[in-house]
Amino acid sequence: MTETQTQTQTMPTGAKSRSPEYRLAAGALSGLRQDLFKDPFAYRPLPPWSPDGPLVGRLPERVRRYAVWTPHAVVLGAALFTLLIAFAVGDAMGGDVIHALSGFIPALAVAMTLIRPVGAWWISLVSTPFVAIMGGDGFGAPWAPAGFFAHLVVMTVVAARTRPRTAAWMWAGTAAFGFFASVFWYSMDPDTAPMLFVSALALLVTTSVHIRREAKVEMTAQRQVTAVERDKRTLLEERTNIARELHDVVAHHMSVVAIQAEAAPYRVENPPPELEQAFVTIRENAVAALTELRRVLGVVRAEDYEAPDAPQPTLADLGRLLENVREAGLRVGQTVTGAVRDLPQGVELSAYRIVQEALSNALRHAPGAEARVEVSYVLGGLGLRIVNGPPTGLVKPSPGAGHGITGMRERIAMLSGEMTAGPTADGGYEVAAFVPVATPEPEPEPAPQSTTATDQSGDPA
């Protein structure tokens, strides 16, 4: 009873467990079936080259539309060369028509690689004995001259069009056929060894180029994904910074509203209950808004973030910013046009940050250049223009990833403004932005005083 239970428990385990050798052999046979036996004659046309590729893109427009078909022309040229080899062998052997016709099947296999690559290899391999009998020297070498060249071309093209594993299976199939022919097909000078050696070199080079091209494509795609993720992270960080800065701005105003609403009833003698209740409601809403603002900000605030003790900078602090930039080695000038007026604190802060980031970019990417900051107070808003010249001197500019530009665009988009950034004609860089600001409504004029006569106490007569 015990032995029966033991056998019942161990047999399924032994049946399910597979050795590493078995899994390796099963994977190899699965790859062989996938690469060479599964739908080998599927229609897979060779696409033309891209007209914007590294080679074709340098050609004139008139030549470019024909140059994209270069791979097809090379393959068809190899097929034509296969026919010429067969004709040459036929002429050397006395102009035998059979020898001349023996090149059509290999040439067809070469041309077939353009549309059915794996099927072309099978046709080239299976037709080898017949081509050798028709175009070779009797029952000599397994490959006739035309078939030898055509099979090399077929394996090279198929390896370039498929995957490295397929190239390995084609070489193994060719080796198996060659050894089979050497054993069962008497020949004083078999050419199996030259075929395997030359084909191994051709497939090795083709596979190396193929792997390098795929790695380059994958690396390019990975770089694009990395750049997108980096931009998203930069955008999120900039939005977090904006949220932190706006918290200080909005919190200040909301605190002022709450304090004034609480103090307003005491400035009026015997205020009506409705007015007192209105001020109480205003204060409660202001305090609730502050609480909700701090709660939302806590989601985006880092744990180690410390709020700055100093107030947020405004355009009035640009002079101190420019002095710091000049001390860092950047020659910068400032121009202010229009009537200077107080703007909303969020606009002032964002404008200051844009100028700060633009000058920082000039320091990094254009060392030794001269910059200019233009601030324009116009009727509908605020205009900013920061332009720097080309880098000069021996200091090499440091590369950048465009994160600063992303942050500036985010600030301008938050304020419903417009921004342009790009190189100038002289090799410098220019950042121009416009932030719309609503024009303050004019204060109502005081009512004209009455001409009624008054007495000395000021009361109407």
Side-chain angles (χ1 to χ4, degrees):
M1 186 69 179
T2 305
E3 294 180 356
T4 305
Q5 291 179 352
T6 304
Q7 293 178 358
T8 305
Q9 293 175 356
T10 57
M11 287 182 62
T13 304
K16 292 182 180 180
S17 62
R18 304 296 185 184
S19 63
E21 293 80 5
Y22 177 85
R23 291 196 297 267
L24 182 63
L29 292 178
S30 176
L32 174 62
R33 182 172 60 253
Q34 180 73 23
D35 294 338
L36 297 182
F37 290 95
K38 184 178 180 181
D39 201 6
F41 290 93
Y43 181 69
R44 301 168 186 171
L46 177 64
W49 279 348
S50 173
D52 300 326
L55 297 178
V56 183
R58 301 178 181 179
L59 300 176
E61 183 66 27
R62 186 177 302 176
V63 183
R64 192 181 306 175
R65 51 184 176 179
Y66 300 105
V68 296
W69 302 102
T70 300
H72 304 73
V74 172
V75 173
L76 294 179
L80 179 61
F81 190 72
T82 303
L83 290 175
L84 294 178
I85 293 176
F87 289 152
V89 173
D91 292 340
M93 300 188 67
D96 191 356
V97 178
I98 300 299
H99 286 78
L101 294 178
S102 64
F104 280 98
I105 296 179
L108 176 64
V110 173
M112 191 176 175
T113 57
L114 295 176
I115 54 176
R116 306 180 193 275
V118 180
W121 179 80
W122 280 111
I123 290 179
S124 177
L125 185 67
V126 172
S127 63
T128 296
F130 306 100
V131 174
I133 295 174
M134 295 174 59
D137 50 351
F139 289 86
W143 278 277
F148 190 96
F149 174 77
H151 197 66
L152 286 176
V153 174
V154 167
M155 284 199 296
T156 303
V157 176
V158 175
R161 294 201 55 194
T162 54
R163 64 179 74 178
R165 189 179 66 183
T166 306
W169 284 122
M170 288 191 302
W171 189 88
T174 302
F177 170 78
F179 286 117
F180 178 83
S182 299
V183 173
F184 297 97
W185 197 344
Y186 176 77
S187 174
M188 298 301 295
D189 189 18
D191 54 6
T192 299
M195 166 61 75
L196 295 181
F197 178 74
V198 177
S199 62
L201 292 180
L203 293 178
L204 182 61
V205 173
T206 305
T207 303
S208 301
V209 174
H210 186 65
I211 292 176
R212 184 177 181 274
R213 183 172 63 246
E214 287 187 346
K216 186 176 180 181
V217 172
E218 184 178 356
M219 184 178 297
T220 303
Q222 186 64 31
R223 286 178 178 175
Q224 293 177 352
V225 173
T226 303
V228 171
E229 293 297 330
R230 189 186 300 115
D231 290 341
K232 289 182 178 179
R233 185 172 63 252
T234 303
L235 193 63
L236 180 60
E237 292 175 355
E238 189 63 28
R239 288 180 177 178
T240 304
N241 293 334
I242 294 174
R244 293 168 180 169
E245 294 174 351
L246 286 183
H247 165 262
D248 299 332
V249 175
V250 177
H252 169 72
H253 291 293
M254 295 300 295
S255 300
V256 172
V257 170
I259 293 173
Q260 290 182 348
E262 185 176 6
Y266 299 100
R267 297 183 179 182
V268 180
E269 185 177 357
N270 298 324
E274 294 83 2
L275 183 61
E276 291 184 351
Q277 184 60 38
F279 282 120
V280 170
T281 304
I282 292 174
R283 183 182 182 279
E284 291 177 352
N285 289 334
V287 173
L290 276 173
T291 304
E292 188 66 24
L293 180 63
R294 293 191 180 97
R295 184 181 297 113
V296 173
L297 185 65
V299 178
V300 297
R301 188 187 297 276
E303 295 181 359
D304 56 348
Y305 174 78
E306 295 182 2
D309 297 332
Q312 295 293 346
T314 62
L315 289 177
D317 302 317
L318 279 183
R320 187 162 52 251
L321 173 64
L322 298 184
E323 288 297 330
N324 294 335
V325 173
R326 293 189 187 102
E327 293 178 358
L330 181 66
R331 294 172 295 170
V332 57
Q334 180 184 10
T335 303
V336 179
T337 59
V340 179
R341 65 181 186 275
D342 292 334
L343 300 175
Q345 194 168 357
V347 176
E348 296 261 358
L349 174 61
S350 296
Y352 180 90
R353 295 301 188 196
I354 290 173
V355 175
Q356 184 183 38
E357 183 62 36
L359 294 179
S360 299
N361 290 340
L363 278 172
R364 289 193 298 266
H365 309 315
E370 184 175 355
R372 187 172 66 258
V373 177
E374 299 178 3
V375 181
S376 302
Y377 291 87
V378 296
L379 184 61
L382 177 69
L384 298 173
R385 183 172 179 267
I386 306 94
V387 59
N388 62 267
T392 59
L394 301 178
V395 181
K396 185 178 180 181
S398 60
H403 296 168
I405 300 297
T406 302
M408 287 189 280
R409 293 189 187 279
E410 183 67 14
R411 290 182 180 274
I412 292 298
M414 178 192 66
L415 299 173
S416 302
E418 299 178 356
M419 172 182 161
T420 59
T424 58
D426 60 351
Y429 203 82
E430 178 183 3
V431 175
F434 177 78
V435 180
V437 179
T439 304
E441 297 181 358
E443 297 181 359
E445 297 181 358
Q449 297 181 356
S450 177
T451 58
T452 305
T454 58
D455 56 9
Q456 293 181 357
S457 64
D459 296 329

